[in-house]
Amino acid sequence: MTATARDTVLRRVRDALTLSDGPEVTVPRAYRTGRTLPDEERLALFVDRLVDYRAQVRTCTAGTTAAVLAEVLRAHGARRTGVPPGLDPAWLAGYDGETVTDSADVPAPRLDALDGVVTASAVSCAETGTIFLDGAAADQGRRALTLVPDLHVCVVDLSSVRTGVPEAVAQLTPEHPITLISGPSATSDIELERVEGVHGPRTLVVVIRTDA
């Protein structure tokens, strides 16, 4: 939706509210928050949900991030890998393929020439296995970068994994575009057969740094 279309929709909503003679409705915001789990239980729950969504999961420490990422990219045959401009270059120090830094000037169709993409993440939810990417963060990149290539390798720090959705959403800035990822892209055809890779990457590899 363009900014103009968004403005039009919001203006019409405001006009409808102004013309309405009904009482003002207060939206309840008393969400359940404050739930926590020990690191070991939170990690186990998060991994269980990711695997259930058919994501591939690797764990590592901060010190072995580069080695694990290089191994993952090599295993998937990724020779050209896109990265957002703010990704820590040390993460790909062990990668011997070509690293392509993305920018807003690169047309989205050209991203299809990449074998994969590596990004960081903002926060994750263990209960739903959902990873949140903040589009304003330099190490997570624009939405197209994580949707066009067929392989997405996402680095998640265990310290950023929250127990539930309210706890995860509370860590985000609502003004920024947020991408929510729960496993590889998938949908069902008319016969309810699972089809992967329709709206995003067919392969999602989540690298969880357990001491970061």
Side-chain angles (χ1 to χ4, degrees):
M1 181 181 293
T2 66
T4 300
R6 178 178 182 274
D7 292 342
T8 300
V9 170
L10 291 176
R11 185 175 65 253
R12 290 178 180 176
V13 170
R14 294 188 186 100
D15 290 346
L17 291 174
T18 301
L19 295 173
S20 172
D21 57 0
E24 184 174 344
V25 176
T26 301
V27 178
R29 301 292 187 187
Y31 303 121
R32 182 176 57 177
T33 60
R35 290 175 297 159
T36 60
L37 288 171
D39 283 355
E40 187 174 325
E41 293 181 29
R42 205 169 68 255
L43 174 62
L45 179 61
F46 185 44
V47 171
D48 177 78
R49 297 300 191 268
L50 290 171
V51 171
D52 190 52
Y53 289 138
R54 301 189 184 181
Q56 300 174 26
V57 181
R58 295 288 305 269
T59 57
C60 70
T61 63
T64 59
T65 305
V68 171
L69 287 176
E71 186 179 323
V72 168
L73 292 171
R74 190 181 310 115
H76 286 83
R79 301 305 303 164
R80 295 188 79 233
T81 299
V83 298
L87 192 79
D88 185 348
W91 286 8
L92 292 180
Y95 175 56
D96 59 359
E98 179 186 0
T99 301
V100 181
T101 301
D102 185 46
S103 74
D105 299 331
V106 178
R110 284 178 53 189
L111 298 173
D112 196 37
L114 298 172
D115 297 319
V117 57
V118 176
T119 73
S121 58
V123 65
S124 299
C125 171
E127 202 167 57
T128 63
T130 305
I131 301 169
F132 298 72
L133 304 185
D134 185 339
D139 60 358
Q140 294 157 54
R142 56 179 174 151
R143 182 167 294 175
L145 180 64
T146 57
L147 294 181
V148 177
D150 208 31
L151 167 68
H152 181 191
V153 183
C154 187
V155 179
V156 173
D157 291 345
L158 181 58
S159 63
S160 72
V161 179
R162 299 294 184 266
T163 300
V165 171
E167 290 85 1
V169 171
Q171 305 301 310
L172 301 168
T173 304
E175 289 83 5
H176 300 163
I178 303 296
T179 300
L180 280 64
I181 303 169
S182 294
S185 171
T187 187
S188 295
D189 64 13
I190 196 170
E191 296 180 342
L192 301 182
E193 293 290 334
R194 180 183 173 98
V195 179
E196 297 182 339
V198 177
H199 307 295
R202 276 179 290 193
T203 303
L204 172 67
V205 182
V206 183
V207 177
I208 305 172
R209 307 201 304 170
T210 56
D211 62 346

